[in-house]
């Protein structure tokens, strides 16, 4: 058990080595001993894993018992007499260590060998037993080295893989002295289903499992605590640095991850050292006109860009923007900020656009992600952020995961969902693909894509029909129920079953399970949001939760899993055309007046344009100049041929990034910026936790801090800014944003993580919100009905397949970072599309063949991957490969309310070569 | 199509996977598995039963079937693999492995069979059988009184010789027919189940029964010796649902009494079982039978079906589960793990099985023979049982005797009888030309005593001071022709082979002990040190008892360690 401040103070008094000691309720003898400073050797026991009691190094004598007892697994009784250091106990402890040492190899695999350190402490001599036969190394995995000659069969790796991460790759096979840890069915690690989360490496006490290439043997010269740059889970980690290079990464005990990491966070850090890092400002050559395809080698751009000094580049960059603002009007400019940069950077960016460009044409990739979820949440319950943190799955009885693939995209969050299932919670997975979470679920609804509204309305109908609607909650805390009820009359389970492909019985059962549980929680992702009816999809989910009163308590609520590491933060600090920081509308007079006062200048009262609208406006020649920081619309926007045409036609484009991305290809000026590990700033994860990222290494060459670059441009655009660093920016943010007013920089440095709303400095932060009321006008939630509509483009004889775009575990979004991370790119090196094996056969193709996917808008060539998790007549395509950019195919049909494109559904055809 | 810039290099395409990581499910294999499983539930605890179906149908566990089974049962591949690889009756066949042999001949090489020429038999068979026949050394198959024993497929060949084994192979398994057992009808006609029916009718009280059991002093006859009445009392007091698990994994080398009774009079055991289940009020019953007893399985399947059809003898559902070649599953908590479909790894105690047992429920666990005596004790009275006994000990023991005696076999004799008395009065004396030299009083794990200590009463508790115990009363008699050192090494090899592998003292200790015991000169101080740690620190009885034979050699047969003798 973990002893915390809340642990009851009931003491069990016993005697240890002649001294009177006491154990807290639930403590084992070993834990009590540790607390009293008494060392008992132990190998298979470690904090954070279930105690297994197999190594037998921790044996103690309990008076009155025939045999010795494993102190890691025994709780003391009142009055017990225990000996850990008498002759009998020591003999067993030493013999165990000696037996294990006799089989250990000469080679050192780790600087941190628990068996060696205990052997030294107990002054063990050379082992007297002949060693076992040697075991060959398994170096088949790019990230991890397996040297089982150093394995002591402590099974910590098994518990790490099976009980912590629940990836279920490592097994304990055979028997007796042949017992060995295996991957899958005794396969090389690199061939197995291992997802390289590295939890086993972190758990291994003897170096049998280590980072590859001896990375763990090098002595770092400093260790820096920070957070992960990839996804919205916001895992805390530690960078191990030597000579300004990251050696390796370890998990840290943050509230969202508890020492866990995934393959990206743990092994995908070396992109910061890639040779293609931008190190000098670049200016477009006069003799290099913009072409449509970003057909450039990021290593050799000399035909298109020339290097320049910072002074020249900043002059040119700001000058061009200022020019357009002054001559063509302030609405002729737009800015895309970054959801990967810090809160401070995002805050200054939107301030630059609002006070420097003087319009509200600022947006970021949330538009392509959870915009529809946020619109629906704001509309119905007055707040766009999650109501409960991911960790609340442990408090829930029932968990619905819909339109999300967390084992790939929020892997550490998914581990907690799997833990909840192992603890007896009910998991319901709703997705057109049978994803890796489905195996753990009690209910798997592999429905027809695009039919979410029908399915959810059907479930709601069944809730009401079975008398399971929460009448009190509806009466006390909502408006509009009668309209919803009437609307749902046409959506009986029997009526929707043929539409969504899930039988009425299952829909009713799911309704019953969700509604009648004490605490039910819904988590969702892009499958819900990235549709031209994404807002309607989200409305249906929110209605379901409200209908059943499953919100405002632990283990309940609504959790749109935020993708980017700082998309929540970027949205919160106002990187959005319609709202200022903290979602105060730009067309609200009170809000605007407050910000005019805070920023000392007049502000545009008209909401700005969103991402895709901006592309249209460029082609309509309404927008002539753009400033894009840490975003890659030339890969992430829908209908890329169209979007790229827009980027190419800009009069002036300034791109600030760490690599020459596909977007930078269209730039007039490229400004080399700082990677995540090279900056200090705050980042807000999906749970509304503001966390501190600390700088661990220096940027390469002449690359500069993003914060500095933004300020330089702002100054040249007429802003009078004097921020010395992120801390100062943060202090201003607190003034602008009531939600974080209670978080000081000092508090972040001490606590590492503070949840908002945190209104005063004494406020501990509120992980669960909506307990009493909703932040709407009258404190009530509003039901909004969802009509059933189809995607804008559906399959037809010419384009008979459905294209579903999405992500992979190993790659992040447009691939700018992860294609340049050695391990990640080796695990997934080139473009693939997944199709059902039957579909491939019908096409006359085999798994591994090259195939072409074409839509009305473009085509790509990829390798076919046979995967029966995908339904026939559907194709899954990740959007991370620039050689086969998925968005060349996608449809830019927008949700009318959220303006989010329909990434999850369009019509394609598949042909073999 | 846009023109490509001249500066763009040819993109180096690395080979990407054509399917998701790991093995894909093959549709044909899935179809085959589904057909094989039929309507059987896909519950986790049935994993070993389902693996048996595959092994029986296809002669081995092919990787593609294991993958399909994992899909059917919603398990990870490694969850299926780690269980399959634990049990020696399962042959895992990976993609590059050769096809399984058409027939396997299993030659027992445990203590008694080795004494009677198992090693030579293995060698001779190895060079005479065809290529498609596999000769495998296996541990004790429970027929020690007819050593040496070979099992051709599922058919045992007693007193095996190369020619008799080959004859069996050729005749395609039509070998010795087991003696007919007392079936349900006959058992009832001879007064069977009258006792159980009176219990059902309420003519006897459960309380009365427990009192009688306590008075009889009946202790667990599998080896642990826990008082039966007290166990029933404890488990009755536990919250329901309570379960029951019967251990017929009889694997201790030298033991064959359970098979003996099961082959002859299964219902006497079943009646005891039903009485216990009723008194303790259990919800479900599981019988775990070692896989080596294939004929017994047929008997039990038949008789249990007849029992189930008999409306008057109502009882909770009884499930019959097969072992799969793991001696450790004779350990009660390992057996429970195996019934749950997992690797047979003993649990740490506390908590004890009576409190947290099968499927985490309070469980009444018994050896077959303990239940076999319930009827007699209750019908003839506890005094009948206690009136038996010798040298101030009470009760009866079924001694499984093998080795150098004229009449090996199961001998029901008074508890407390001495070795000399047992040999002379029950076993017809030593074989001609053999002088009594040493004996295992309790199978491979009970230690080894010299003939000079052949006057110790054989019972629970009487042998402890000599570093031995009676266990399941499996007696192996050695003569001066036999090497105790060799027998002890045989025993330690057995423990190494059968160790579950969970804990260091046993997993590594048995292996290191074997190496040390294979030396001409034993490092006695080191073996003593190792033995002490194994006894003190192993999780279960296997590791704790494994040092007994070797410690006894050092204590009682030092002369065998001074000259390099191997008889």
């Amino acid at each position: 058990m973990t002893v915390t401040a809340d642990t009851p103070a009931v003491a069990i008094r016993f005697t240890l080595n002649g001294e009177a000691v006491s154990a807290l309720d639930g403590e084992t003898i070993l834990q009590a001993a540790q607390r009293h400073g008494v060392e008992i050797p132990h190998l298979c026991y470690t904090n954070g894993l279930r105690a297994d009691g197999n190594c037998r190094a921790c044996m103690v004598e309990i008076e009155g018992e025939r045999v010795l007892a494993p102190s890691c697994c025994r709780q003391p009784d009142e009055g017990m007499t225990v000996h850990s250091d008498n002759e009998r106990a020591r003999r067993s402890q030493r013999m165990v260590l000696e037996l294990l040492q006799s089989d250990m190899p000469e080679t050192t695999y780790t600087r941190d060998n628990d068996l060696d350190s205990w052997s030294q402490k107990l002054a063990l001599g050379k082992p007297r037993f002949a060693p076992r036969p040697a075991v060959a190394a398994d170096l088949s995995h790019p990230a991890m080295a397996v040297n089982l000659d150093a394995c002591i069969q402590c099974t910590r790796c098994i518990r790490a893989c099976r009980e912590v991460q629940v990836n279920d790759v490592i097994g304990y096979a055979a028997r007796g002295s042949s017992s060995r840890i295996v991957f899958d069915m005794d396969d090389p690690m690199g061939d197995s289903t291992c997802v390289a989360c590295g939890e086993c490496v972190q758990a291994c006490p003897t170096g049998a499992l280590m980072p590859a290439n001896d990375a763990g043997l090098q002595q770092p010269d400093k260790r820096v605590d920070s957070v992960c740059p990839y996804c919205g889970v916001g895992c805390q980690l530690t960078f191990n640095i030597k000579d300004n290079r990251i050696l390796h990464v370890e998990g840290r005990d943050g509230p969202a991850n508890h020492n866990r990491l995934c393959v990206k966070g743990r092994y995908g850090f070396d992109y910061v050292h890639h040779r293609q890092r931008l190190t000098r400002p670049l200016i477009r050559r006069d003799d290099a006109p913009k072409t449509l395809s970003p057909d450039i080698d990021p290593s050799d751009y000399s035909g298109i860009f020339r290097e320049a000094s910072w002074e020249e580049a900043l002059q040119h960059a700001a000058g061009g923007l200022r020019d357009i603002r002054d001559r063509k009007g302030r609405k002729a400019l737009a800015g895309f900020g970054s959801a990967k940069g810090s809160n401070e950077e995002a805050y200054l960016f939107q301030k630059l656009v609002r006070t420097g460009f003087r319009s509200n044409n600022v947006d970021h990739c949330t538009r392509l992600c959870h915009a529809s979820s946020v619109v629906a949440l704001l509309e119905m319950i007055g707040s766009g952020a999650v109501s409960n943190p991911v960790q609340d799955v442990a408090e829930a009885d029932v968990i619905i995961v819909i339109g999300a693939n967390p084992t790939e995209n929020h892997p550490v969050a998914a581990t907690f969902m799997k833990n909840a299932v192992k603890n007896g919670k009910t998991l319901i997975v709703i997705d057109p693909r049978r994803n890796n979470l489905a195996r753990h679920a009690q209910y798997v609804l592999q429905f027809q894509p695009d039919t979410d509204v029908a399915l959810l309305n059907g479930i709601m109908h069944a809730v009401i029909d079975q008398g399971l609607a929460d009448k009190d909650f509806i009466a006390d805390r909502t408006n509009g129920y009668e309209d919803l009820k009437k609307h749902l009359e046409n959506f009986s389970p029997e009526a929707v079953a043929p539409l969504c492909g899930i039988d009425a019985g299952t829909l009713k059962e799911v309704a019953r399970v969700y509604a009648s549980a004490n605490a039910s929680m819904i988590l969702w992702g892009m499958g819900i949001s990235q549709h031209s009816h994404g807002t309607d999809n989200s409305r249906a989910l929110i209605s379901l939760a409200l209908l059943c009163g499953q919100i405002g308590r632990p283990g309940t609520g609504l959790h749109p899993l935020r993708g980017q590491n700082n998309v929540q933060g970027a949205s919160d600090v106002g990187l959005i055309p319609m709202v200022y920081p903290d979602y105060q509308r730009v067309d609200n007079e009170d809000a605007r007046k407050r910000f005019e006062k805070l920023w000392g200048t007049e502000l545009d009262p008209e909401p700005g344009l969103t991402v895709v609208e901006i592309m249209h406006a460029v082609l309509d020649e309404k927008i002539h100049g753009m400033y894009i920081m840490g975003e890659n619309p030339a890969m992430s926007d829908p209908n890329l041929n169209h979007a790229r045409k827009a980027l190419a036609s800009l009069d002036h484009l300034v791109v600030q990034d760490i690599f020459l991305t596909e977007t930078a290809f269209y730039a007039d000026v490229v400004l080399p910026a700082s990677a995540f590990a090279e900056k200090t700033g705050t980042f807000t994860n999906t749970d509304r936790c503001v966390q501190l990222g600390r700088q661990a290494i220096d940027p390469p060459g002449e690359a500069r801090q993003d914060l500095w670059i933004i300020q330089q441009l702002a100054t040249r655009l007429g802003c009078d800014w004097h921020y010395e660093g992120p801390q100062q920016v943060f202090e201003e943010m607190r003034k602008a944003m009531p939600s974080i007013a209670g978080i000081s920089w000092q508090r972040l440095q001490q606590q590492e993580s503070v949840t908002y709303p945190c209104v005063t400095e004494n406020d501990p932060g509120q992980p669960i919100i909506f307990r009493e009321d909703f932040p709407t006008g009258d404190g009530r939630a509003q039901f909004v009905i969802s009509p059933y509509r189809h995607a804008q483009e559906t399959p037809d004889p010419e384009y008979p397949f459905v294209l579903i775009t999405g992500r992979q575990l190993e790659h992040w979004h447009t691939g700018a970072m992860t294609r340049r991370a050695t391990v990640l790119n080796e695990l997934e090196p080139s473009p693939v599309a997944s199709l059902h094996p039957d579909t491939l056969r019908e096409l006359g193709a085999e798994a591994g063949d090259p195939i072409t996917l074409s839509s009305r808008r473009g085509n790509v060539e990829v390798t076919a991957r046979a995967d029966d998790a995908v339904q026939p007549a559907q194709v899954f395509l990740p959007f991370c490969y620039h050689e086969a950019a998925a968005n060349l195919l996608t449809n830019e049909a927008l949700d009318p309310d959220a303006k989010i494109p329909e990434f999850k559904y369009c019509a394609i055809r598949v042909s073999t070569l | 199509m846009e023109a490509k810039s001249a500066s763009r290099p040819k993109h180096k395409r690395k080979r990407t996977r054509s399917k998701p990581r790991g093995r894909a499910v093959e549709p044909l294999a899935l179809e085959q598995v589904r057909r094989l499983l039929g309507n059987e539930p896909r519950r986790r605890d049935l994993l070993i039963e389902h693996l048996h179906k595959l092994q029986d149908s296809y002669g081995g566990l092919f990787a593609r079937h294991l993958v399909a089974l994992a899909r059917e049962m919603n398990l990870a591949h490694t969850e299926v693999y780690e269980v399959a690889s634990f049990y020696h009756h399962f042959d895992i066949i990976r993609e590059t492995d050769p096809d399984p042999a058409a027939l396997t001949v299993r030659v027992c090489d445990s203590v008694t069979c080795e004494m009677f020429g198992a090693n030579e038999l293995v060698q001779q068979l190895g060079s005479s059988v065809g290529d498609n026949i596999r000769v495998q050394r296996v541990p004790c198959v429970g027929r020690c009184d007819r050593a040496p024993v070979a099992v051709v497929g599922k058919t045992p060949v007693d007193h095996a010789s190369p020619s008799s084994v080959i004859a069996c192979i050729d005749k395609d398994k039509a070998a010795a027919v087991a003696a007919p057992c007392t079936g349900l009808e006959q058992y009832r006609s001879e007064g069977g189940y009258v006792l159980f029916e009176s219990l059902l009718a309420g003519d006897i009280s459960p309380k009365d029964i427990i009192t009688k059991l306590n008075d009889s002093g009946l202790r667990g006859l599998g080896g642990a010796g826990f008082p039966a009445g007290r166990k029933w009392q404890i488990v009755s007091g536990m919250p329901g649902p309570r379960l029951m698990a019967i251990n017929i994994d009889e694997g201790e080398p030298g033991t064959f009494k359970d098979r003996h009774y099961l082959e002859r009079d299964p219902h006497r055991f079943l009646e005891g079982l039903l009485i216990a289940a009723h008194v303790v009020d259990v919800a479900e019953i599981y019988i775990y039978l070692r896989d080596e007893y294939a004929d017994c399985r047929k008997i039990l399947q038949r008789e249990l079906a007849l029992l189930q059809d008999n409306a008057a003898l109502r009882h909770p559902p009884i499930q019959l589960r097969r072992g799969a070649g793991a001696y450790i599953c004779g350990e009660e908590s390992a057996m429970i793990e195996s019934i749950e479909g997992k690797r047979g790894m003993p649990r740490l105690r506390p908590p004890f099985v009576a409190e947290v047992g099968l499927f985490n429920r309070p469980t009444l666990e018994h050896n077959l023979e303990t239940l076999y005596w319930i009827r007699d004790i209750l019908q003839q009275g506890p005094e009948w049982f206690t009136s038996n006994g010798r040298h101030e000990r009470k009760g009866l023991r079924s001694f499984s005797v093998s080795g150098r005696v004229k009449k090996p076999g199961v001998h029901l004799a008074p508890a407390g009888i001495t070795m000399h008395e047992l040999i002379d009065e029950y076993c017809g004396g030593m074989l001609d030309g053999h002088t009594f030299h040493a004996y295992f009083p309790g199978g491979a794990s009970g230690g080894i005593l010299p003939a000079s200590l052949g006057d110790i009463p054989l019972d629970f508790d009487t042998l402890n001071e000599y570093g031995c115990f009676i266990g399941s009363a499996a007696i192996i008699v050695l003569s001066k022709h036999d090497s105790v050192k060799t027998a002890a090494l045989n025993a330690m090899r057995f423990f190494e082979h059968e160790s579950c592998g969970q804990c260091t003292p046993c997993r590594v200790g048995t292996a290191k002990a074997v190496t040390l015991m294979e030396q001409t000169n034993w490092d006695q101080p080191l073996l003593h040190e190792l033995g002490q740690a194994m006894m003190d620190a192993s999780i279960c009885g296997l590791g704790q008892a494994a040092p007994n034979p070797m410690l006894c050699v050092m204590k009682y047969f030092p002369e065998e360690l001074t000259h390099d003798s191997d008889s």
Side-chain angles (χ1 to χ4, degrees), chain A residues 172 185 187 295 810, chain B residues 8 21 23 94 343 512:
Chain A
Y172 196 46
M185 310 217 282
D187 299 310
D295 225 341
E810 293 81 1
Chain B
R8 181 183 180 161
R21 274 197 204 87
R23 290 182 172 75
R94 301 158 60 83
R343 293 163 57 85
K512 301 306 186 212

Side-chain angles (χ1 to χ4, degrees), chain A residues 223-229 234-241 246 249-254 257 261 565 675-683 691-697 752:
Chain A
R223 287 159 55 86
V224 178
D225 289 342
S226 188
V227 287
C228 179
C235 298
Q236 287 186 8
L237 49 71
T238 303
F239 289 116
N240 289 276
I241 309 294
I246 304 174
V249 168
E250 284 153 13
R252 204 155 56 94
D253 189 9
N257 69 314
L261 291 176
N565 61 316
F676 184 91
E678 296 158 1
K679 66 183 68 173
T680 295
T682 67
F683 299 84
Q691 304 193 108
L692 195 59
R694 292 187 181 83
Q695 180 170 1
I697 52 176
E752 300 280 338

Side-chain angles (χ1 to χ4, degrees), chain A residues 390-463:
Chain A
V390 171
Q391 295 285 312
D392 254 32
V393 292
E395 309 299 318
D397 302 298
V398 173
I399 304 157
I400 290 184
V401 176
I402 178 168
N405 196 0
T407 53
E408 317 290 296
N409 303 319
H410 298 83
V412 170
T415 67
F416 295 106
M417 296 174 207
K418 290 181 275 185
N419 294 155
V421 172
K422 283 215 138 63
N423 282 331
K425 311 307 173 95
T426 302
L427 176 63
I428 302 169
V429 172
I430 307 177
D431 198 279
R433 286 191 300 156
R434 194 188 61 245
N435 60 33
N436 283 329
L437 202 57
R439 183 168 72 75
H440 304 276
Q442 285 83 341
Y443 300 95
V444 179
L445 279 62
Q446 207 177 341
F447 71 118
Q448 286 304 308
D450 198 39
T451 62
D452 309 64
V453 167
L455 184 144
L456 292 168
N457 282 353
I459 290 178
M460 283 196 276
H461 183 288
V463 168

Side-chain angles (χ1 to χ4, degrees), chain A residues 52-56 59 66-70 73-74 88 91-92 95-96 98-100 102-103 128-132 152-153 158 162 167-177 179-180 182-187 191-195 292-293 295-297 300 434 438-441 809-810 819 825-832 847-848 850 861-868 882-883, chain B residues 1-5 7-9 11-23 25 27 44 62-64 66-67 71 74-83 85-88 94-95 139 324-328 343 345 348-350 496-513 515-516 523 526 529-530 532-540 544:
Chain A
D52 200 51
N54 65 62
C55 74
R56 316 307 273 181
M59 303 310 281
R66 179 178 66 92
V67 295
L68 301 181
C73 286
R74 282 294 295 274
R88 191 173 169 212
R91 281 219 178 139
S92 276
M95 179 54 70
V96 165
E98 184 179 355
L99 285 170
L100 293 171
S102 65
D103 288 334
R128 295 166 290 172
F129 301 100
R132 63 187 172 193
I152 57 170
Q153 278 90 356
I158 297 174
R162 304 277 287 273
N167 288 323
D168 295 344
V169 183
I170 303 181
Y172 196 46
R175 200 165 80 199
S177 50
S179 300
R180 59 186 179 278
V182 296
F183 305 101
D184 285 355
M185 310 217 282
D186 206 358
D187 299 310
D191 292 343
S192 71
T193 55
C194 169
V195 294
L292 188 56
S293 263
D295 225 341
I296 187 175
D297 176 6
D300 178 19
R434 194 188 61 245
R439 183 168 72 75
H440 304 276
L809 170 66
E810 293 81 1
R819 296 298 303 285
N825 200 44
E826 204 174 319
L827 290 171
E828 284 285 5
S830 62
V832 285
E861 193 190 300
V862 297
T863 303
R865 181 171 287 179
D867 187 356
D868 68 358
H882 59 87
E883 323 90 296
Chain B
M1 207 57 173
E2 304 306 305
K4 290 189 195 298
S5 154
S7 68
R8 181 183 180 161
H11 178 77
K12 200 177 91 174
R13 188 161 266 196
K14 293 190 208 170
R15 269 205 69 79
T16 188
R17 283 190 308 280
S18 63
K19 55 174 189 55
R21 274 197 204 87
R23 290 182 172 75
V25 177
R44 173 64 214 260
F62 288 86
R64 62 182 183 275
L66 293 178
V67 169
R71 170 68 67 89
N74 220 25
L75 297 171
H77 297 176
T78 206
E79 284 183 275
V80 173
Y81 183 83
E82 65 180 3
V83 172
S85 63
F86 181 87
Y87 296 95
H88 284 185
R94 301 158 60 83
E95 288 83 352
Y327 159 81
I328 188 60
R343 293 163 57 85
M345 301 212 296
L348 270 61
R349 266 68 53 89
E496 185 198 3
H497 189 258
E498 296 300 318
S499 166
C500 75
Q502 199 183 170
C503 72
T504 312
C506 176
R507 179 187 73 245
V508 186
T510 52
K512 301 306 186 212
T515 308
L516 290 170
D523 184 341
L526 185 55
E529 241 189 277
L530 175 58
Q532 189 64 47
M534 289 171 71
M535 293 192 299
D536 278 342
S538 298
I539 292 176
C540 82
Q544 288 161 17

Side-chain angles (χ1 to χ4, degrees), chain B residues 427-546:
Chain B
C427 302
M430 297 293 290
L431 285 171
D432 294 334
H434 287 264
T435 315
F436 180 33
H437 175 56
Y439 66 109
F440 287 76
S445 44
I448 316 173
L449 290 170
S452 58
L453 288 175
D455 289 316
I456 306 169
L458 297 171
D459 195 11
F460 294 114
D461 309 327
T462 54
L463 298 160
N464 296 11
E465 65 187 276
Y466 300 95
C468 296
F469 57 76
I470 192 172
S472 54
I475 315 282
I476 306 175
V477 183
L478 280 65
S479 76
K480 294 218 192 291
H481 287 278
D482 302 307
S483 157
V484 184
K485 185 179 166 198
T486 303
L489 177 56
N490 184 300
M492 188 59 86
R493 283 199 178 117
F494 170 78
F495 292 124
E496 185 198 3
H497 189 258
E498 296 300 318
S499 166
C500 75
Q502 199 183 170
C503 72
T504 312
C506 176
R507 179 187 73 245
V508 186
T510 52
K512 301 306 186 212
V514 164
T515 308
L516 290 170
M517 290 164 74
E518 281 171 342
Q519 306 308 309
T520 315
N521 296 312
W522 285 13
D523 184 341
Q524 297 196 41
L526 185 55
L527 280 170
H528 270 115
E529 241 189 277
L530 175 58
Q532 189 64 47
M534 289 171 71
M535 293 192 299
D536 278 342
S538 298
I539 292 176
C540 82
L542 191 158
Q544 288 161 17

